[in-house]
Amino acid sequence: MSVNHLPGERAPKVLVTGATGFIGRQIVRAFLDRGWRVMASVHKTPLPGWMTAAGVVPVEFSLDDLTPLAEAMRGVQAVCHAAAFLPPDNSDSQYANRCLEVNALLALRLAELAVERPGTRFLYLALATDTAAPDAPCDENQLVYPADHAPSYLTSKLAGEIFVEHQRRMRGLAALSLRVGSCYGPGMPERSVVSIFLKRARAGQTVTVHDGGTATCDLVYVGDVAKIAVCAAESGDPGVYNVGSGTASSILELARAATETYPQTHAPIEVLPPAQGPASGLP
């Protein structure tokens, strides 16, 4: 399938969930830049002024009533499900229910709604595989078993991918699950490792690296993720795709890159010894 770009009311339309989030904002901008009409789900956070000014249509809904989303999906060419719940504490299991409700069950309900609208392409921002050895990139067939770090969040994202894939395989949904790596860029959460390292390096403060700095991640720029999402909405075979650089970077390498970005501050790097158990990946 290929979407033709037409002016005004004839332009293709997309519904984006999680439009006010870090990645969602960039996805909305990328769709607008490509001439799409954008509808954006609004759950708790209102749309920023620039989206309203650009003609983005808000769709208010609650998790208990998806009727507004079901109505908004009528006549759209694509749905991009970027909404996600990130627990404030990945070690606290009390957030497991919320993770499953938002990251897995909402994905399932939206995918089922999309099935009822033949021709609708469904994009799901899924779990990065993050299972490759430090010197080898992983592919889409790599075993995914997120038992070490952030199990509530990662397991719920994996469950969402499985639900979406089931709708693709069994019911013919044109679904593309995009396994996004460790995303960074403008607007990234302040508690992300990239943000923390850069802020401390800029201030000349010690950049502390835990677990010996051996944990690895696949860093991917948020703007590239947004462009790929638009490409996936316009064409390409349904299925599961990794979205990343294909290169594993260690946390220590990331710390060094941060301090090299601000060489004038001479920020030192402190490497703490590995803790017991497996090293955690980049949050």
Side-chain angles (χ1 to χ4, degrees):
M1 171 188 174
S2 180
V3 174
N4 294 319
H5 291 274
L6 299 171
E9 292 299 315
R10 299 175 63 194
K13 184 189 298 184
V14 62
L15 171 65
V16 180
T17 70
T20 59
F22 165 44
I23 301 177
R25 292 195 302 271
Q26 296 292 335
I27 288 176
V28 168
R29 192 182 299 276
F31 271 109
L32 290 172
D33 288 345
R34 283 286 291 170
W36 284 66
R37 289 177 292 158
V38 178
M39 305 179 74
S41 70
V42 177
H43 179 43
K44 291 183 178 180
T45 306
L47 297 183
W50 69 264
M51 286 191 193
T52 303
V56 175
V57 178
V59 181
E60 297 186 8
F61 81 104
S62 71
L63 293 175
D64 296 325
D65 182 11
L66 300 185
T67 303
L69 291 181
E71 292 297 325
M73 289 171 65
R74 299 183 187 278
V76 303
Q77 282 69 48
V79 175
C80 182
H81 184 36
F85 172 70
L86 281 74
D89 183 356
N90 282 316
S91 64
D92 193 338
S93 63
Q94 71 169 317
Y95 298 107
N97 285 350
R98 184 67 172 174
C99 284
L100 290 170
E101 180 182 31
V102 176
N103 302 336
L105 296 179
L106 179 57
L108 171 60
R109 301 307 174 213
L110 291 178
E112 289 176 331
L113 288 172
V115 168
E116 298 172 2
R117 293 154 176 78
T120 301
R121 291 174 72 83
F122 189 88
L123 315 180
Y124 175 62
L125 267 62
L127 162 77
T129 47
D130 197 24
T131 55
D135 58 350
C138 59
D139 61 26
E140 286 78 3
N141 295 317
Q142 192 93 11
L143 175 66
V144 181
Y145 195 76
D148 297 331
H149 174 65
S152 295
Y153 172 70
L154 297 181
T155 298
S156 66
K157 292 297 289 184
L158 177 57
E161 178 187 314
I162 292 172
F163 286 147
V164 171
E165 265 292 280
H166 176 77
Q167 297 299 312
R168 180 182 76 85
R169 298 185 185 192
M170 300 293 106
R171 302 185 65 188
L173 177 64
L176 294 91
S177 294
L178 308 178
R179 291 175 170 175
V180 180
S182 298
C183 205
Y184 72 95
M188 59 187 164
E190 291 188 359
R191 65 190 181 107
S192 70
V193 171
V194 175
S195 181
I196 292 171
F197 281 5
L198 287 173
K199 182 181 294 186
R200 296 191 68 84
R202 183 172 61 245
Q205 300 173 338
T206 299
V207 178
T208 303
V209 178
H210 296 272
D211 296 325
T214 59
T216 60
C217 56
D218 187 337
L219 291 165
V220 57
Y221 183 63
V222 64
D224 293 334
V225 173
K227 291 177 182 177
I228 290 172
V230 176
C231 289
E234 294 181 339
S235 62
D237 295 332
V240 178
Y241 296 91
N242 289 343
V243 179
S245 65
T247 301
S249 301
S250 73
I251 301 301
L252 181 55
E253 289 174 324
L254 179 58
R256 289 170 176 162
T259 57
E260 290 170 1
T261 302
Y262 301 99
Q264 69 278 9
T265 67
H266 304 287
I269 297 176
E270 179 186 20
V271 181
L272 301 180
Q276 278 191 324
S280 62
L282 182 68

